Amino acid sequence: MTQEVKVPTLGESVTEATVGEWLKQPGDAVAQDEPIASLETDKVAVEVPSPVAGVLGTQEVSVGDTVEVGALLATIEEGGAPAGDGEEAGRAAQAREQEKQIDQETAAVASGEASSGGDVPTMSPAVRRAVLEHGLDPTTIKGSGKDGRLTKEDVLAAAKAKGSTPAPSQSAPASPAPSPAPAPATSAKGERRTERVKMTRLRQTIAKRLKGAQEEAALLTTFNDCDMTAVIEAREAYKEVFAKKHGIKLGFMSFFAKAACLALKDVPAVNAQIDGDEIVYHDFVDISVAVSAPNGLVVPVVRNVESMSFAEVEQAIAGYGKKAKEGSLTMDDMTGGTFTISNGGVFGSLMSTPIINPPQSAVLGLHRIEDRPVAINGEVVIRPMMYLALSYDHRIIDGREAVTALKIMKEAIEDPMRMLIDL
């Protein structure tokens, strides 16, 4: 019996996607709920699972095609697997479990690369497996696939050039080793080369939204510097009992999220947005927090931060960070938000002018902490300082309101005992 696989519902207001990659080819055995294709939307990548166990029949669309919700993607021949289907299904299930473990381990590697400023390429499960098995850094491998994606052959070629051999795995099903592609030729000394790579759908959307924000909003940025001594001391004093009680580390982001809530409550325009000829004010604070993912930075939303504890904020952010690295963020995770916090300091940024995330009207930019000489009570002392930047839409937020809001955040960070740590 033939089963149709159609483009699933992608989220509110999202009607189409781009076929990013086929994870299964015609004739491949698939288990129920096993991903067969990856779709790229304006915000996230979505894997399409098989509704039944069987064999992939036809692929009705190609990589790079734009498809609408409900469109036919492929067909599955239900129960069409060859003899030994039960054994094949068992091996498929075992392989999926291995993929999950490998994804988690590779995500940890990707996280470290992202925090150091490297661009982590998008990788399919098979490529992630090959990267991990050969112990390679994916950011150093040139992708030959569509849009510069890494292929398994790219990884094998890099491994061959490095002289790497995969670690043995007793649980992996035996299969003939694919022939590695020849290593790419080294450019002649002094040779100048160029390369054209098509922008992904996500990157195109980011470009349009940021350019649109600059063209439509009256953007302005106000700065302040912040003494991080008290927060650093509070984290050091409470880190062990906090982690023991809540099961998570006390980070910087919860301090800034709660400080932002104080400011947005006192200066509601910073938490508002323009809708036509009206200003929409919110009595809640939904903070979009920029986190690093293999595809780039994404901004999932932590909702009702004003009513959350420090531990709940840290747990929510950590949960989104894990989902981002695993590629499992949903459209609902990314929808909404009344204010954004972006921490460029993890990449080493000293100062920046962040761009607002429409339809929001303000964004707080955090930067690296560095020891600097400052004057306190007539004496020059060395303190850990951070520059804060608040970019805002001058159409709705006056300069006095923006400066006041940023000053409230600064004061809350410099005196964190004013905020409840929930211990």
Side-chain angles (χ1 to χ4, degrees):
M1 181 178 178
T2 301
Q3 289 280 348
E4 294 183 340
V5 182
K6 297 184 178 180
V7 178
T9 301
L10 301 169
E12 183 179 358
S13 76
V14 180
T15 60
E16 62 181 23
T18 300
V19 180
E21 181 180 11
W22 281 103
L23 305 177
K24 292 288 184 178
Q25 299 300 320
D28 288 352
V30 295
Q32 186 172 357
D33 297 327
E34 184 178 9
I36 64 170
S38 175
L39 304 180
E40 294 178 355
T41 71
D42 293 345
K43 296 183 178 181
V44 295
V46 178
E47 289 187 339
V48 181
S50 172
V52 295
V55 172
L56 184 64
T58 60
Q59 295 174 345
E60 301 296 333
V61 291
S62 302
V63 172
D65 287 354
T66 298
V67 291
E68 296 183 350
V69 172
L72 181 62
L73 282 176
T75 59
I76 302 289
E77 298 300 327
E78 185 177 4
D85 179 56
E87 181 181 350
E88 180 70 25
R91 288 200 298 265
Q94 184 183 52
R96 288 198 303 277
E97 290 302 317
Q98 294 169 0
E99 292 291 358
K100 290 180 181 179
Q101 180 181 359
I102 288 172
D103 287 350
Q104 293 171 357
E105 296 176 6
T106 308
V109 175
S111 174
E113 291 160 353
S115 62
S116 63
D119 292 326
V120 183
T122 302
M123 297 180 287
S124 70
V127 174
R128 287 195 295 269
R129 174 186 292 275
V131 166
L132 188 63
E133 287 178 344
H134 289 280
L136 300 176
D137 178 356
T139 63
T140 64
I141 306 174
K142 180 179 177 59
S144 62
K146 183 177 178 61
D147 297 336
R149 290 176 181 268
L150 289 182
T151 66
K152 188 174 181 180
E153 287 70 25
D154 297 330
V155 176
L156 293 175
K160 181 179 180 181
K162 181 182 176 183
S164 167
T165 56
S169 174
Q170 297 179 354
S171 59
S175 59
S179 301
T186 303
S187 302
K189 185 176 180 180
E191 181 181 353
R192 292 159 55 90
R193 302 179 63 184
T194 60
E195 181 182 7
R196 291 181 179 270
V197 178
K198 185 178 179 181
M199 295 173 67
T200 64
R201 186 182 186 92
L202 177 59
R203 177 52 59 184
Q204 292 180 48
T205 300
I206 292 173
K208 291 177 182 177
R209 286 175 59 83
L210 294 181
K211 186 60 179 175
Q214 287 185 318
E215 293 176 347
E216 182 175 352
L219 290 179
L220 189 61
T221 303
T222 183
F223 298 94
N224 214 322
D225 59 354
C226 182
D227 187 344
M228 298 293 293
T229 301
V231 166
I232 292 173
E233 291 178 349
R235 292 182 66 212
E236 184 64 26
Y238 295 115
K239 65 180 182 181
E240 292 184 5
V241 64
F242 189 92
K244 183 177 180 180
K245 178 175 182 178
H246 300 294
I248 195 166
K249 293 181 180 179
L250 178 60
F252 288 113
M253 285 299 293
S254 56
F255 284 92
F256 281 101
K258 298 302 289 185
C261 289
L262 294 179
L264 301 182
K265 179 180 178 181
D266 288 352
V267 190
V270 182
N271 196 43
Q273 65 187 56
I274 294 177
D275 185 9
D277 59 357
E278 297 178 331
I279 299 176
V280 181
Y281 293 94
H282 307 97
D283 66 353
F284 52 87
V285 179
D286 290 351
I287 297 183
S288 301
V289 180
V291 297
S292 182
N295 293 6
L297 289 179
V298 292
V299 280
V301 181
V302 181
R303 306 183 196 280
N304 299 312
V305 179
E306 78 287 349
S307 62
M308 298 175 71
S309 67
F310 275 66
E312 289 170 335
V313 173
E314 293 291 353
Q315 289 163 352
I317 294 174
Y320 279 140
K322 183 175 184 294
K323 292 179 70 174
K325 292 164 190 171
E326 294 174 348
S328 60
L329 284 171
T330 66
M331 295 298 297
D332 289 340
D333 294 333
M334 313 282 286
T335 302
T338 62
F339 184 75
T340 293
I341 298 179
S342 178
N343 186 5
V346 298
F347 302 107
S349 172
L350 176 64
M351 186 180 292
S352 67
T353 55
I355 300 176
I356 63 173
N357 182 20
Q360 298 174 21
S361 298
V363 53
L364 175 66
L366 310 182
H367 303 91
R368 76 170 185 252
I369 302 171
E370 63 175 9
D371 289 340
R372 293 201 298 268
V374 295
I376 299 179
N377 298 326
E379 295 183 356
V380 176
V381 297
I382 304 298
R383 290 294 177 89
M385 304 296 292
M386 176 193 288
Y387 286 116
L388 305 180
L390 183 71
S391 291
Y392 59 98
D393 189 345
H394 213 339
R395 296 178 302 165
I396 182 176
I397 302 170
D398 294 332
R400 175 184 61 83
E401 294 173 313
V403 172
T404 300
L406 190 58
K407 184 172 180 288
I408 293 173
M409 297 181 207
K410 166 187 167 70
E411 292 174 345
I413 294 299
E414 292 184 338
D415 184 13
M417 295 306 295
R418 297 165 49 182
M419 301 181 287
L420 182 64
I421 305 180
D422 192 27
L423 290 177

